[in-house]
Amino acid sequence: MRILLLFIFFPFLTFAQEKFKYKKDFEKILKETKNIKSEFYYDHLLDRYNKIDTTLTEKQVLALLIGFTDNKFYNPYKDIEFGKRLYQLNEEKEYKEVIQLGDEFLITHPFDLKTLFETSYAYFKTDHKEIADQYLLKTKMIFHAMAYSGQGFKLEEPTFALNPTDGQDYLRKGFNMKIGKMGSGRDKNGYFLDIIDINFDNGSTTSMYFIIPHAAKKMFE
């Protein structure tokens, strides 16, 4: 029920018109996020994102996600545990604690999908529906940036994910998909991929690929 409650805020996503290639574009965009004269300058885009500027393009939000991979607070595998903690607190109806912890965490981790969803849910349950919707708008912006990065249904066209669980949230909460087996692999360039099976009602299955070498790299630092 919780997933449906959040899912209704998202219209069907559109996929990338312009091709994003991780090998060609990741480092180039990362460099641009540090250039104050660039349209992808991180601090400027982050200010617009925090103000929920819906005129941000999918590519600009993708640049924010890429820029955050070089942030001192980016620790994707460790951050998963924080999201799990918020989920458990929501299950225990400790909504005020979720709001306090979630808002503090989002100051330094503004694109953490699990924290955005769980904090939104806590605001919703405490009758702050307007604030809850603002958090969901941020997740919508992230989902659209992910869709822009690649369709994900081919090994050669993976979808960018910031954290190793973002692919699961993308499929469940962006598309209301049923997830099957989950695994990992590498593309022809050796980049690490999360591979998630989608199970359809007619019994068929397809795989979706999420590219996360920037996250995998953090495991060895």
Side-chain angles (χ1 to χ4, degrees), residues 27 87 89 135 151 155-156 165 170 175 187 211:
E27 291 295 338
Y87 180 89
L89 287 169
Y135 285 80
Q151 291 191 16
L155 188 66
E156 302 80 17
T165 59
Y170 178 79
F175 289 95
D187 67 7
I211 190 163

Side-chain angles (χ1 to χ4, degrees), residues 86-153:
L86 291 189
Y87 180 89
Q88 186 58 43
L89 287 169
N90 269 329
E91 289 291 291
E92 296 167 1
K93 299 182 173 24
E94 299 290 344
Y95 304 126
K96 289 184 179 179
E97 187 173 359
V98 171
I99 289 169
Q100 179 186 342
L101 293 173
D103 281 342
E104 288 175 359
F105 192 73
L106 288 169
I107 293 171
T108 54
H109 300 75
F111 315 109
D112 190 273
L113 282 171
K114 287 199 177 301
T115 301
L116 287 167
F117 276 118
E118 294 303 328
T119 308
S120 172
Y121 182 77
Y123 272 117
F124 181 85
K125 295 298 286 185
T126 53
D127 293 322
H128 295 91
K129 296 179 178 61
E130 210 171 297
I131 300 175
D133 286 354
Q134 291 174 0
Y135 285 80
L136 290 181
L137 276 173
K138 288 183 175 181
T139 66
K140 178 181 175 181
M141 292 163 73
I142 295 169
F143 281 164
H144 274 274
M146 290 172 68
Y148 167 86
S149 73
Q151 291 191 16
F153 294 111

Side-chain angles (χ1 to χ4, degrees), residues 18-40:
E18 178 185 341
K19 296 290 185 181
F20 168 81
K21 294 293 184 183
Y22 193 96
K23 184 177 181 180
K24 176 174 66 74
D25 297 319
F26 180 86
E27 291 295 338
K28 182 170 65 175
I29 292 175
L30 182 60
K31 184 178 180 181
E32 286 292 298
T33 65
K34 301 173 185 179
N35 178 3
I36 196 170
K37 295 181 180 180
S38 171
E39 68 166 306
F40 301 121

Side-chain angles (χ1 to χ4, degrees), residues 13-18 20 57-63 65-66 111-113 117 138-153 157-172 174-175 194 196 208-212 214:
L13 301 176
T14 54
F15 287 112
Q17 301 299 312
E18 178 185 341
F20 168 81
T57 67
E58 289 93 344
K59 190 172 183 178
Q60 287 173 326
V61 179
L62 178 60
L65 303 182
I66 290 171
F111 315 109
D112 190 273
L113 282 171
F117 276 118
K138 288 183 175 181
T139 66
K140 178 181 175 181
M141 292 163 73
I142 295 169
F143 281 164
H144 274 274
M146 290 172 68
Y148 167 86
S149 73
Q151 291 191 16
F153 294 111
E157 297 179 6
T159 300
F160 181 94
L162 192 60
N163 286 345
T165 59
D166 285 356
Q168 299 169 46
D169 287 328
Y170 178 79
L171 293 173
R172 286 187 175 125
F175 289 95
D194 275 334
I196 302 176
M208 187 140 182
Y209 303 90
F210 295 90
I211 190 163
I212 59 163
H214 42 276

